[in-house]
Amino acid sequence: MGITPFSRIGAQNAPAAGINPDYTLQIGNGLIELSPEHIVSTTLYNGQFPGPLLRFKEGRRVTVDIRNDTDTPELVHWHGQMIPSEVDGAAEEGTPFVPAHGTRRVSFVPKPAGFRFYHTHVIAGGDLSRGTYSGQAGPVYIDPKNDPGTYDREVFLVMKEFEPTFSRGGDMAMDFLAGDPVHELERLAHDSNERAKDKTKGYEVGYERFSINGKMLGFGEPVRVKQGERVLFHILNASAGEIRSLALPGHVFRVLSLDGNPVPTPADVPVLWLGTAERISAIVHMSHPGVWIMGDLDDGDRGHGMGIVVEYAGHRGKPQWVKPAQFRWNYAVFGRTNAQPPPSPDEIFEMTVEKNNAALGGFNQWTLNGEAFSMQTMKPLFTVHEGRRYRLKFRNASDDIHPLHLHRHTFELTRFAGRSTSGVLKDVVMLGGFQELEFDFVADNPGPTLLHCHQQLHMDFGFMALLRYG
Ligand SMILES: [Cu+2]
């Protein structure tokens, strides 16, 4: 489109230490042509959406120059990587901002291998042009030392909504997650709602346009396949707050990795569900020739663009959609099957999530154990010690799903949908409405560490916690 000058995407891997960066990311305003009728103006990386795919090699240091051509300070967060706080990309952890109209060079050793991503980590608050409401997201693939399995080729899909607006209240698909509501948590929420019953509902964010790889359904290049091929999809939900689903009629997904980490039990599922910032790597065996819509189960969102056409060689015609049968998403399906319990933790922290309806000038306020995170005091919620194993027990006294994200560490899911599990390693996990879950992590990466809900609207209004190493 020639509106925004492209910066150099230097992919040269020459170790010209200290002089040339391996990559340059330019942050600036630009246009995304979702379709000829819907061209969105927002903040982008290198003038494109998604931002360029950055391919790193596990263990090989990379240098990235970040140039901020906007009028406000920015942060680039390297989601899912075990790197120092100074480069992780969260102000709360002490990462310096990339100044407005300034540059910052970051250098780190990428790890672990697998599908990661990068995105802005600034607070948007009530400004829907900022933070993850913008187009600042792009995939990272850290090439592993060993091959993930047999496949013919890889396809990266980035799911993303545009044109956000506020409304009072909103809907969220709830019935897809395994597990049952906990009555005590429902009672807690009921009491809180009673206290706020004179208020109207707090603001929620909705979207006008939906896209995969920056194109509305039918306007991008189809995924062109041949019968018999095995296609490895790397799917990222880069939304600011939506839960996404994906199905391909007549096909199943063999899930190999969750959040880039290989699962103990690869399994076939008819539908993928991804909370905000979750990633799934899955192989589809192309065994059902035709022209299909690979799309979100929500008819409205798919109708407004959330899908991509999959076209078999030699087949033409209107892409077909078939609604899949009801299917409940349960991470434990991919866990260890031998029921071997995970090691017991050195300490357990219990955290209850509550919502204060419309408490902050019309916005809902979120609290953990009764406290909303304060950007002023930056008070840590708890202290961990290097080498110890911790169990976080979350209790959700709200009807919203919260995609919980731990920075700079990988956690192991130990309880989900009322059952023990082990072996599923992640950095984001969906906590269902009125449900509980537990995960363990080993404190193996000293430095201030952020734990938060990955819904921009929730993290900006209290749902954040800082862990400090003692
Ligand atoms: Cu949340």
Side-chain angles (χ1 to χ4, degrees):
M1 284 171 287
I3 304 294
T4 304
F6 272 64
S7 71
R8 186 169 50 90
I9 312 169
Q12 70 271 39
N13 282 327
I19 304 162
N20 293 316
D22 298 297
Y23 291 97
T24 299
L25 285 180
Q26 178 259 353
I27 305 167
N29 185 257
L31 303 181
I32 317 167
E33 188 169 325
L34 299 174
S35 79
E37 255 94 72
H38 293 97
I39 300 165
V40 173
S41 167
T42 184
T43 310
L44 301 172
Y45 291 127
N46 296 16
Q48 65 182 79
F49 186 86
L53 168 64
L54 305 184
R55 272 201 114 110
F56 298 153
K57 189 89 189 162
E58 189 180 23
R60 187 191 292 168
R61 179 171 287 273
V62 290
T63 302
V64 183
D65 281 355
I66 306 164
R67 196 176 89 229
N68 179 6
D69 290 335
T70 73
D71 297 330
T72 49
E74 267 296 343
L75 286 162
V76 176
H77 169 47
W78 301 98
H79 187 118
Q81 293 201 49
M82 272 79 277
I83 56 177
S85 303
E86 305 83 69
V87 290
D88 186 50
E92 299 79 5
E93 297 175 342
T95 312
F97 282 92
V98 187
H101 303 284
T103 301
R104 185 169 180 251
R105 170 169 287 192
V106 294
S107 180
F108 55 87
V109 179
K111 65 172 177 180
F115 188 21
R116 316 281 159 212
F117 80 118
Y118 58 100
H119 63 82
T120 175
H121 212 283
V122 300
I123 299 293
D127 185 348
L128 292 175
S129 71
R130 299 263 291 151
T132 53
Y133 301 116
S134 75
Q136 293 174 78
V140 168
Y141 198 83
I142 304 175
D143 282 308
K145 285 161 190 147
N146 33 6
D147 196 80
T150 319
Y151 59 90
D152 296 300
R153 62 200 176 88
E154 285 176 303
V155 176
F156 286 81
L157 302 178
V158 179
M159 306 177 83
K160 177 75 177 173
E161 306 79 6
F162 292 99
E163 299 182 4
T165 50
F166 286 118
S167 63
R168 288 195 184 278
D171 58 330
M172 193 185 259
M174 285 297 305
D175 53 355
F176 70 90
L177 263 188
D180 297 312
V182 175
H183 295 306
E184 190 205 336
L185 295 171
E186 287 180 320
R187 259 200 309 279
L188 267 176
H190 178 79
D191 294 349
S192 167
N193 285 338
E194 279 297 298
R195 287 195 295 276
K197 69 170 181 246
D198 51 326
K199 292 200 177 96
T200 50
K201 284 192 141 195
Y203 300 130
E204 300 289 351
V205 178
Y207 302 86
E208 290 299 313
R209 299 291 148 191
F210 299 78
S211 70
I212 291 183
N213 292 350
K215 293 287 183 189
M216 290 170 64
L217 173 60
F219 291 97
E221 284 295 303
V223 179
R224 294 196 172 86
V225 302
K226 293 190 193 83
Q227 187 167 4
E229 260 187 333
R230 292 160 61 83
V231 180
L232 174 58
F233 288 96
H234 296 296
I235 302 146
L236 159 66
N237 177 0
S239 177
E242 300 276 290
I243 311 292
R244 296 265 63 111
S245 56
L246 197 66
L248 177 61
H251 300 76
V252 293
F253 297 92
R254 168 144 295 204
V255 174
L256 301 184
S257 298
L258 295 175
D259 295 347
N261 309 311
V263 294
T265 310
D268 291 340
V269 292
V271 181
L272 302 176
W273 285 93
L274 300 101
T276 315
E278 283 190 296
R279 289 91 64 209
I280 296 178
S281 300
I283 284 186
V284 178
H285 183 213
M286 295 298 168
S287 57
H288 196 56
V291 183
W292 305 105
I293 291 172
M294 187 183 202
D296 196 288
L297 268 56
D298 187 285
D299 292 335
D301 294 358
R302 198 179 60 257
H304 288 90
M306 191 51 89
I308 190 166
V309 174
V310 172
E311 187 184 281
Y312 276 73
H315 288 259
R316 289 259 135 69
K318 196 171 178 283
Q320 303 296 308
W321 169 255
V322 183
K323 190 179 183 225
Q326 183 81 14
F327 171 74
R328 289 190 117 193
W329 183 251
N330 188 344
Y331 300 104
V333 165
F334 313 106
R336 284 197 196 104
T337 49
N338 58 5
Q340 183 195 325
S344 27
D346 296 300
E347 205 173 334
I348 298 173
F349 294 108
E350 195 172 286
M351 270 182 272
T352 303
V353 178
E354 284 182 279
K355 174 166 85 176
N356 293 325
N357 193 39
L360 296 171
F363 289 92
N364 297 320
Q365 183 190 49
W366 293 93
T367 62
L368 286 173
N369 295 346
E371 264 191 74
F373 185 75
S374 160
M375 296 296 292
Q376 277 70 46
T377 64
M378 298 268 193
K379 194 180 114 194
L381 190 69
F382 55 83
T383 301
V384 296
H385 297 275
E386 193 175 358
R388 292 201 194 154
R389 185 180 176 97
Y390 296 90
R391 180 160 297 168
L392 300 187
K393 184 175 177 177
F394 287 93
R395 308 171 73 238
N396 182 8
S398 79
D399 59 356
D400 277 358
I401 294 175
H402 302 291
L404 306 170
H405 173 45
L406 179 64
H407 281 230
R408 306 177 58 252
H409 297 75
T410 301
F411 58 74
E412 178 177 6
L413 200 59
T414 48
R415 192 167 183 82
F416 188 78
R419 276 180 34 216
S420 291
T421 184
S422 67
V424 173
L425 305 175
K426 297 184 75 5
D427 53 62
V428 182
V429 63
M430 285 184 275
L431 172 64
F434 302 123
Q435 293 207 33
E436 298 176 329
L437 68 75
E438 296 173 18
F439 64 67
D440 290 13
F441 73 99
V442 175
D444 57 1
N445 192 12
T449 297
L450 208 54
L451 166 75
H452 63 89
C453 176
H454 217 286
Q455 281 218 47
Q456 183 88 50
L457 191 62
H458 296 181
M459 69 179 277
D460 289 355
F461 292 92
F463 201 149
M464 239 190 325
L466 201 53
L467 281 61
R468 120 190 147 86
Y469 275 73

